[in-house]
Every structure is written in C-alpha cells, then in structure tokens.
Amino acid sequence: PILRIFFTDANNGYLSVGGEGIFKTTDGGNTWNNTITLNGLYDSFNAIYFTDANTGYIGGNLGKINKTTDGGVTWKNKTTGLGTELFSVFATNRDTAYTAGKEGKIFKTENGGINFFQQTQAFATTIIKVYFTSNNVGFACSDSGRIMKTIDGGETWVLKPTNTLRGFTDLSFINANQGYAVASGGFVFKTNDGGETWDSISTSEPDVSRAIWFLNEDTGFVAGTNKIARTYDGGNTWNIHTSLLA
C-alpha cells in the first residue's frame, strides 16, 4: 500500500510504498519509478519530508530515520535509538526536525538528525503526522480523530475541534492559514483559520485515505492502496486512477 506522498515542486515527488521502497516522479505524478532500496532490502517507511529539492528525511519501523542530501539518490541512516515505530517526520530547516509515532511521543533534533530528544510527555494516542507552518507553529494528528496545535515549537500542544472520531492519517498545509487533513474512509477535512477549526469538505474513496499533499490552493493529491486521486479545485472533486508504479 501507499503510505506517504510528498512533492518538492509541481513535477518532482516521492511515494513510500509498504514493502516496496521509495518511488519518485518527475512528471507531476503521472508515472513513478522505484528509486531506492535501503541496505539491499525493501523496507516500509511511513514518513517522508524534504526541506528543499535535495535534503529530505524518511522514517519508519524501529525508529529508523534516513537522510538524503542529493535528492534521493543516496540515503544515510541516522541512528536515533528511539526504538518505536515512526509515522511522521517533519523538518523546519536543515538542522531542526520532528518525528512522532506509535507510542504518542514527539521527538526533536536540532543538529540535523545526529541526536533526537523526546519533546513532550507521551499522548494517549498514536501520533500519525506532525506538520509545522513556521519554526514555532505546528500541528499533530492522531488515529483517534484528534488534531493538536503548538505555537511554541512543540513545548505545549492544545487540542482543536474536528467533530469526528475517524482516525486521521495525514496533514498538509499550503500556508499558515489553509490546510487539509485526510481521515479513514476517504474523508477530507479543511481549515481556513490556521487549524483552529476543521470541517469536512469532500469524500474521496476509502482506498485513498492514507496520504495527502497539496501543492497550492487548487492542486492536491490523496493516495492509498495502489490508487492516487488528484484535485484541481481545492478538494471539492477528485479524479481517481490506479497508480503507475514501476
């Protein structure tokens, strides 16, 4: 299954596919080619984030985090010692990054992934995604229908209303105010007020409820089990097709 999707620009993007590795597109998502296996094996990585066209992180099972500085051509393992399954990694710059996962813990590095420290007391839920819109303002979503917001770089988090019990699977913001989240069953949620409130705007298909990424106010993607859906009208309608993975 497709686990995560991330674009560095309108043409170049990455997919993490469970048991198959990392795929890359250079034509806006029309075709995808396998770029890496790690340590000679296809591994499952639940998290992808790039700070620019060259520098990116992927994270996954057993606290593994790998970093690239050449656009995904090569990856270097960063020994984290976290020992927990990671579902999200997000970098605010080349040195500062956050990761979170199964035990409800959020970790932070301030030296480019050399060391990670637990930033908060563990939440009583699995953290599926962390996403920051600035150095201090960020969001975390969980598998129990929760979205939390921080305004102090992750030191404290405040629960925001979502009016759903569906487990969130991914978050994507296009600016400080406008963001999207996807939940189980293919439900897409949107905020226009910096994550203070969230409303359901559309329903995709249940098979494309794992990952979401928006390039701008109009163009976005959701992905799931061998399917990718694309919107050109801000998530009001979606065009669904079977992903072309090579």
Side-chain angles (χ1 to χ4, degrees):
I2 297 171
L3 302 177
R4 281 289 180 262
I5 187 170
F6 186 94
F7 278 77
T8 56
D9 57 42
N11 293 315
N12 295 284
Y14 298 84
L15 283 177
S16 174
V17 181
E20 295 187 39
I22 303 296
F23 289 73
K24 184 175 182 178
T25 180
T26 57
D27 58 11
N30 292 315
T31 59
W32 299 83
N33 295 292
N34 184 256
T35 61
I36 62 165
T37 59
L38 299 176
N39 300 321
L41 299 173
Y42 289 109
D43 213 336
S44 293
F45 285 87
N46 305 306
I48 307 175
Y49 189 80
F50 277 72
T51 58
D52 53 45
N54 294 313
T55 305
Y57 297 83
I58 53 177
N61 296 337
L62 302 175
K64 294 179 182 178
I65 292 181
N66 286 258
K67 182 179 180 180
T68 181
T69 57
D70 56 15
V73 177
T74 60
W75 297 82
K76 184 177 181 180
N77 180 259
K78 314 298 288 188
T79 302
T80 66
L82 301 181
T84 186
E85 186 173 5
L86 301 175
F87 291 112
S88 180
V89 60
F90 190 98
T92 55
N93 55 56
R94 291 174 65 91
D95 294 321
T96 304
Y98 300 81
T99 187
K102 195 169 185 178
E103 296 178 357
K105 299 174 182 177
I106 298 177
F107 301 91
K108 183 179 182 179
T109 178
E110 296 176 336
N111 54 16
I114 297 174
N115 305 109
F116 284 84
F117 60 90
Q118 185 176 335
Q119 193 177 33
T120 63
Q121 185 176 2
F123 295 101
T125 185
T126 296
I127 303 297
I128 301 297
K129 183 67 176 283
V130 288
Y131 194 107
F132 278 73
T133 56
S134 70
N135 288 335
N136 292 317
V137 179
F139 302 86
C141 67
S142 78
D143 64 351
S144 58
R146 297 177 180 179
I147 293 180
M148 290 83 74
K149 181 178 180 179
T150 179
I151 58 173
D152 56 13
E155 295 298 324
T156 58
W157 297 83
V158 177
L159 186 66
K160 299 300 177 180
T162 60
N163 299 316
T164 185
L165 296 176
R166 293 182 177 274
F168 285 103
T169 55
D170 204 1
L171 281 170
S172 176
F173 277 76
I174 60 172
N175 55 47
N177 293 314
Q178 190 171 332
Y180 297 84
V182 64
S184 59
F187 288 83
V188 178
F189 291 76
K190 182 178 181 180
T191 179
N192 287 310
D193 56 11
E196 294 298 316
T197 59
W198 295 82
D199 297 303
S200 177
I201 61 166
S202 63
T203 303
S204 186
E205 283 192 2
D207 286 346
V208 287
S209 61
R210 177 73 192 196
I212 189 168
W213 186 259
F214 269 75
L215 295 172
N216 51 50
E217 291 185 3
D218 298 317
T219 306
F221 301 82
V222 288
T225 306
N226 295 325
K227 289 183 179 180
I228 299 173
R230 188 182 313 193
T231 180
Y232 295 102
D233 57 11
N236 293 313
T237 59
W238 297 88
N239 300 310
I240 299 172
H241 60 84
T242 301
S243 59
L244 302 175
L245 302 180

